[in-house]
Amino acid sequence: MWREDVPAVLAARRGQRLEAVELFEWAGGDLADGSVAVALQFRDGWLTIYNALNENGLSFGHLEPEYRRLRLG
């Protein structure tokens, strides 16, 4: 079920095709080092869901250079 009170960055993705899903690890030299983020790629950029310590954080656009792609398998 779709909620009406979602953040605008999510609402803008409604109906778009998901092109890729990847896992990334933060390596920024701070308290968040080692935390894993889920990145969803859409036609117009990446939507990243990350650990914001006491909640989930969302960012949209290019991934920050401190993220390292996790290789699975």
Side-chain angles (χ1 to χ4, degrees):
M1 172 180 264
W2 187 258
R3 293 175 45 170
E4 297 301 322
D5 62 342
V6 299
V9 70
L10 292 179
R13 311 285 79 75
R14 186 176 185 189
Q16 286 191 27
R17 182 183 175 102
L18 179 62
E19 297 180 358
V21 177
E22 297 199 35
L23 296 177
F24 288 85
E25 180 179 15
W26 180 257
D30 56 22
L31 181 63
D33 274 1
S35 63
V36 176
V38 177
L40 310 172
Q41 185 179 27
F42 294 92
R43 175 183 68 249
D44 56 353
W46 290 91
L47 171 65
T48 306
I49 305 163
Y50 60 92
N51 180 345
L53 300 182
N54 65 341
E55 62 187 14
N56 291 326
L58 298 173
S59 66
F60 186 74
H62 295 287
L63 292 172
E64 297 179 49
E66 291 85 1
Y67 279 114
R68 305 290 182 249
R69 180 176 280 117
L70 287 177
R71 303 281 182 210
L72 303 176

